[in-house]
């Protein structure tokens, strides 16, 4: 954790541990983004001592999650104690609403991003995880998302499938160095890829990386600012000239 904001985040994690040790009960964060989830895993592994920790976003594939820090005797019931609720929004199937529509309307209620977890959308229905405090406001005040009328309830279990769509890409690279893979993913020259990396516009597994020579492995997630996010989904042998066949999946 090198950036000033990361120091502030570490201080917040330290405060959670102190409160857990003082009160002897589970302490919960608000919703964390993917980078914060990765940071908290690393920090907790080194700093929580005999305390335990868990990340949960309401369903296993959630990208935004809350962190719990708790004594070991809380382990059997802490999953049911996370202070979040699943809100179900229903509307006409012929109306189309997007993730951006929901997030914009909720932020329009003066809610902070950290009180809203994942937003899963299907035909005529969406389910959104929010903190308990945010749920009370939304249930009382929200009757439209954008210009579309909605009904909101908190009495339905989460049942939608979290669908992440990808576009498959493939090609060959000289090596699995970061600059080579970014060059293929972003469709830029290797020199331009190196410039993106050195200017800290590239993240690997949610952390910024400035070394062009960092080696990547299958399953690594790349984020290239202005170009999107990719998964290195396959490494498939070499050509006669020694170049490496790789597959990428681009989030869409």
């Amino acid at each position: 954790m090198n950036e000033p904001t990361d120091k502030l985040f570490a201080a917040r994690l330290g405060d959670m541990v102190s409160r857990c040790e003082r009160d002897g009960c589970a302490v919960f964060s608000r919703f964390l983004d993917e980078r914060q989830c990765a940071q908290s895993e690393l920090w907790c592994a080194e700093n929580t001592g005999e305390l335990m920790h868990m990340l949960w976003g309401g369903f296993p594939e959630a990208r935004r999650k809350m962190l719990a820090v708790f004594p070991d005797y809380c382990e059997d019931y802490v999953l049911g104690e996370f202070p979040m609720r699943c809100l179900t929004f229903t509307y006409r199937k012929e109306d189309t609403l997007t993730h951006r529509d929901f997030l914009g309307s909720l932020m329009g209620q003066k809610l902070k991003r950290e009180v809203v977890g994942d937003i899963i959308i299907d035909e005529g229905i969406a389910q959104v995880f929010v903190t308990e405090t945010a749920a009370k406001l939304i249930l009382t005040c929200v009757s439209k998302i954008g210009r579309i009328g909605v009904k909101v309830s908190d009495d339905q279990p989460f049942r939608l499938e979290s669908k992440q769509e990808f576009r498959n890409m493939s090609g060959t690279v000289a090596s699995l160095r970061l600059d080579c893979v970014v060059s293929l993913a972003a469709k830029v020259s290797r020199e331009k890829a190196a410039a993106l990396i050195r200017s800290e516009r590239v993240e690997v597994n949610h952390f910024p990386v400035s070394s062009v020579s960092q080696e990547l492995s299958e399953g690594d997630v790349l984020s290239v600012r202005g170009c999107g996010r990719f998964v290195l989904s396959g490494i498939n042998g070499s050509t006669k000239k020694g170049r490496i066949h790789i597959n990428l999946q681009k989030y869409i």
Side-chain angles (χ1 to χ4, degrees), residues 186-203:
K187 298 181 180 179
V188 297
S189 68
R190 192 165 166 183
E191 291 74 20
K192 180 65 180 294
L196 290 171
I197 297 164
R198 293 192 180 103
S199 61
E200 298 187 345
R201 297 180 64 186
V202 175
E203 295 181 359

Side-chain angles (χ1 to χ4, degrees), residues 43-110:
W43 189 93
C44 287
E46 298 177 356
N47 295 283
T48 52
E50 295 182 359
L51 297 177
M52 304 182 74
H53 67 279
M54 177 188 298
L55 288 162
W56 179 244
F59 60 102
E61 300 82 14
R63 289 166 61 176
R64 295 179 62 81
K65 302 174 185 178
M66 288 182 176
L67 170 70
V69 177
F70 54 95
D72 57 3
Y73 52 78
C74 297
E75 183 176 13
D76 291 339
Y77 63 84
V78 72
L79 186 62
E81 297 296 315
F82 277 82
M84 68 177 70
R85 287 160 78 177
C86 176
L87 298 184
T88 300
F89 295 75
T90 54
Y91 47 96
R92 300 185 310 169
K93 287 189 176 181
E94 55 265 37
D95 291 326
T96 300
L97 289 171
T98 66
H99 186 283
R100 180 177 294 182
D101 293 328
F102 276 92
L103 191 57
S105 292
L106 297 180
M107 296 301 100
Q109 295 294 324
K110 308 301 181 185

Side-chain angles (χ1 to χ4, degrees), residues 2-223:
N2 300 317
E3 302 173 5
T5 51
D6 291 338
K7 292 180 180 178
L8 178 60
F9 182 62
R12 289 166 54 191
L13 297 178
D15 180 63
M16 290 180 64
V17 169
S18 297
R19 286 188 286 135
C20 181
E21 291 173 336
R22 182 191 67 210
D23 300 335
C25 60
V27 177
F28 301 91
S29 72
R30 293 189 173 186
F31 286 100
L32 308 177
D33 62 27
E34 289 177 284
R35 183 193 294 186
Q36 290 171 327
C37 287
Q39 288 176 333
S40 64
E41 283 278 23
L42 292 174
W43 189 93
C44 287
E46 298 177 356
N47 295 283
T48 52
E50 295 182 359
L51 297 177
M52 304 182 74
H53 67 279
M54 177 188 298
L55 288 162
W56 179 244
F59 60 102
E61 300 82 14
R63 289 166 61 176
R64 295 179 62 81
K65 302 174 185 178
M66 288 182 176
L67 170 70
V69 177
F70 54 95
D72 57 3
Y73 52 78
C74 297
E75 183 176 13
D76 291 339
Y77 63 84
V78 72
L79 186 62
E81 297 296 315
F82 277 82
M84 68 177 70
R85 287 160 78 177
C86 176
L87 298 184
T88 300
F89 295 75
T90 54
Y91 47 96
R92 300 185 310 169
K93 287 189 176 181
E94 55 265 37
D95 291 326
T96 300
L97 289 171
T98 66
H99 186 283
R100 180 177 294 182
D101 293 328
F102 276 92
L103 191 57
S105 292
L106 297 180
M107 296 301 100
Q109 295 294 324
K110 308 301 181 185
L111 294 172
K112 294 184 178 179
R113 186 65 179 97
E114 62 189 15
V115 305
V116 181
D118 278 28
I119 300 170
I120 309 300
I121 300 172
D122 207 336
E123 276 191 8
I125 185 172
Q127 292 190 293
V128 183
F129 287 90
V130 297
T131 63
E132 291 179 339
T133 302
K136 294 175 184 178
L137 183 147
I138 294 167
L139 286 165
T140 303
C141 299
V142 176
S143 59
K144 287 186 176 182
I145 298 295
R147 297 181 178 180
I148 306 300
V150 297
K151 294 182 179 179
V152 192
S153 66
D154 65 348
D155 58 359
Q156 298 186 43
F158 179 70
R159 67 179 189 273
L160 298 183
E161 181 181 354
S162 178
K163 301 175 184 176
Q164 178 60 63
E165 296 184 359
F166 298 95
R167 183 169 74 244
N168 291 314
M169 305 172 60
S170 62
T172 64
V173 290
S175 75
L176 295 175
R177 281 172 44 127
L178 182 57
D179 57 345
C180 295
V181 179
V182 169
S183 174
L184 176 64
K187 298 181 180 179
V188 297
S189 68
R190 192 165 166 183
E191 291 74 20
K192 180 65 180 294
L196 290 171
I197 297 164
R198 293 192 180 103
S199 61
E200 298 187 345
R201 297 180 64 186
V202 175
E203 295 181 359
V204 177
N205 298 326
H206 317 301
F207 289 96
V209 175
S210 57
S211 171
V212 299
S213 60
Q214 176 166 322
E215 291 280 321
L216 298 180
S217 301
E218 189 168 333
D220 282 344
V221 178
L222 304 179
S223 295

